[in-house]
Amino acid sequence: MVVLCWCGVALSVEDVLRFARHAINPDSEFTACAVFDVNHDGHMDIVSGGWWYEGPSWEKHFLRDVPQIRGRFDDYSNLPLDVNGDGWTDIISANYRSESLFWIEHPGAGLGPWVVHLIEKPGPMETGRLYDMDGNGTPDVLPNGMNFAAWWQLHRDQDGSVRWSRHDLRQEIAGHGIGFGDINSDGRGDVVTPTGWWESPGNVFDGEWVAHREWMLHRDAGVPIIVQDIDQDGDCDLMWGRGHNVGLYWLEQIREGDSRRWSMHAIDTSYSQIHSILVADLDNDGRAEFVAGKRYLGHDGRDPGEWNPLAIYWYRFDPARKTFIRGTVDEGGPVGFGLDPKAVDIDGDGDIDLVASDRNGLYLLENLLHVSSAKETKPRHADSQEKPWLKEDHRNLLMYVDDQGETQKISSLKDWGIRRAHILRGMMEVMGPLPGPEHRVPLDVKILAEEMTDSYRRIKLTYAADETDRVPAYLLVPKKGSQRKPAVLCLHQTTRLAKDEPAGTHPDAAWPYAHELALRGFVCIVPDYPSFGEHVYDFQSHPEYISGTMKAIWDNVRAIDLLESLPEVDRDRIAVIGHSLGGHSALFTAAFDERIRAVISSCGFTGFHDYYGGKIAPWAQDRYMPRIRTVFQNDPDQVPFDFYEVLGAIAPRSVFINAPLRDDNFDCHGVKKVLGAVESIYALHNVSNRLKAVHPDIEHSFPPEVRQAAYQWLEEQFGLTKPSE
């Protein structure tokens, strides 16, 4: 039997769920959908926006005219419910641009015009969901109001008429992200938001919902925030995606007698725009899987990672290891997960299928659990070419290789998103794969020592990078200010520094940027590089990492997880700084982790073919990236990535480069050449002045005056100070 293995995790191929993609309407631009039997013929149908699609042929039928407001269809949820009790399923829609909540009445057996009934215009709503708010067995409507908080109760009168009553909630509940579930196990559902949970009173109509501000999730948490016993320990935890940013997360509830505390965990930070999550038993084993996917252009390309390829994944929690196993539903294809996807057995074969609607089409993702493995399925990956990155000119960033293997000019950010994905895959070919969610064990931070300085707390600790390794690190937390502070991942060169301390966590160290940044109010984390400093690591015993570079990248990713878990950190203002090897590691880490918003790299770099007439670069030694040497020596044209592309993958984020004129490792003209080429990608993003390079007339060094200039530049990028003249 073929087995996929990594770091103690084993999954048989037969156990991996598979899905086939079916285009219902690739031209649809509605962001919500529903699945029910519209015409009562025994087959499930799909409703989305202005049309319904008759199963199983998916013939298209008109439903209603949906207004387009400021370029978007006003259809942010399709919630199926027999509102008037006539036996035919109606639709409820909560909308942002019209600020209206309404229900759309099914015409009955004649299938005539569907009638829209306005419930109220309470204000902009990101979307909405059905929950039994009052516990009477009938679903109620809970919209995600951006500047109001309320739920609506349905009443049916004896004469067949319909009424709705509004029940206001605390104003603090308003904002991006909402969910509903029993947090305290008292049998009543509570309202959850990014800023805490509101306990249901005994009487939801007249009682006061009590605020418990026990957590602070990301401020752009999607809808819904899932309330579920994720770790199967008897109490409810939370799961949420960042609807307009990077990452999928869960918050673990830990009961200690009558009290509780919460522990935040990152699940997957490899993609962004996770606005909706579904909970469904996809493999019929009695346990729920979680389905999350990337929304298509939620903010028209302005959010991090919006132009990266689309993806939908399923996640299964492993309670023994407290990690998530991830499987692919659809990756690199045309399917966006939208605002209101659905999970339902649409074809009646006994397994749960998925329907996703977004501004780039309406799709059915058929679960093949009960389909013979011999059946032909459509490819899940849009990229059908074998290693297209080898056919791309690594120094020409304005071209890419398409699905047919043809070279195309990059004329849009969508094209660049394809090229960027190729860059990361090329990097992983010689660095090794970036570990996935199944390796994201709990951080299990252990504090070894702590001391107070006049300006910050200095904590020596270790954290778990994976099941096999704990990373030594220092954490510097400034004393001043009660608000969340920007943070910096501080990386270092390869030699031991003053007092055997990494990256300047002490003012006497050779490169004291962690100390200096902490004095300026930044939270700083300083992990050791694997096999240097106190981080003893034997790569021979850990073949799962084929390079020191990728091990360092993963350690850095987990360090960012740690920063995000701290109440002192502003999660939207995290940077990385590094000198020498740390400077290269800073660039590599930022390419893979888009949570990093700014990069300070004190190092030289250049293209492989530009380096000293074709000699291998020193940062590509066997200790760091052994595969690159082998590939380069056998055939330089087969090197799968170059520094032009690494910098391009970081765009449009801000980068500061210190490249000394007399650095004997690199000719700084190579840095200028790379940055000149990368400017074209920043121009494609329609941003400028985000690349800054200085070239002091010194050797391989990061002198105090350049460090101070870099810190001031970082403060400007984060809006902490005004730009200098």
Side-chain angles (χ1 to χ4, degrees), residues 356-412:
S357 185
D358 212 333
R359 295 169 64 201
N360 60 334
L362 172 65
Y363 293 88
L364 164 64
L365 299 161
E366 178 192 2
N367 190 340
L368 301 179
L369 185 66
H370 289 126
V371 177
S372 167
S373 60
K375 177 179 178 179
E376 288 292 326
T377 62
K378 296 182 180 180
R380 292 179 307 189
H381 300 275
D383 180 8
S384 61
Q385 290 297 313
E386 184 178 357
K387 299 183 179 180
W389 49 89
L390 292 181
K391 300 180 181 180
E392 292 167 339
D393 183 345
H394 303 307
R395 291 171 287 186
N396 180 1
L397 299 179
L398 292 177
M399 53 76 67
Y400 74 106
V401 174
D402 65 17
D403 293 347
Q404 288 70 45
E406 300 295 327
T407 298
Q408 303 290 346
K409 182 179 179 181
I410 289 177
S411 58
S412 68

Side-chain angles (χ1 to χ4, degrees), residues 228-235 237 250 252-253 317 319 322:
Q228 183 91 4
D229 185 5
I230 292 172
D231 54 5
Q232 302 166 38
D233 66 349
D235 54 39
D237 313 291
W250 74 288
E252 177 187 6
Q253 181 174 177
F317 186 74
K322 298 190 76 169

Side-chain angles (χ1 to χ4, degrees), residues 320-331:
R321 300 175 60 251
K322 298 190 76 169
T323 63
F324 284 84
I325 297 167
R326 184 182 74 185
T328 301
V329 176
D330 198 84
E331 188 177 61

Side-chain angles (χ1 to χ4, degrees), residues 19 33-35 44 277-282 289 291 337 340-346 351-356 365:
F19 291 82
C33 61
V35 179
M44 298 295 272
I277 302 172
L278 297 176
V279 182
D281 182 5
L282 298 177
E289 277 77 43
V291 184
F337 215 46
D340 190 11
K342 294 297 192 293
V344 64
D345 183 3
I346 198 168
D351 54 40
I352 298 297
D353 309 295
L354 306 171
V355 180
L365 299 161

Side-chain angles (χ1 to χ4, degrees), residues 278-308:
L278 297 176
V279 182
D281 182 5
L282 298 177
D283 58 357
N284 289 351
D285 69 347
R287 296 182 301 163
E289 277 77 43
F290 303 89
V291 184
K294 181 178 172 62
R295 186 183 176 192
Y296 179 72
L297 296 186
H299 277 167
D300 295 315
R302 299 188 301 274
D303 290 336
E306 275 201 78
W307 289 105
N308 294 339

Side-chain angles (χ1 to χ4, degrees), residues 4 22 51 78 161 176 198 210 395 425 458 656 699:
L4 309 176
H22 304 280
W51 306 89
N78 287 173
S161 60
H176 202 297
W198 275 258
V210 179
R395 291 171 287 186
R425 290 171 71 178
R458 184 170 179 268
F656 181 104
E699 296 179 355

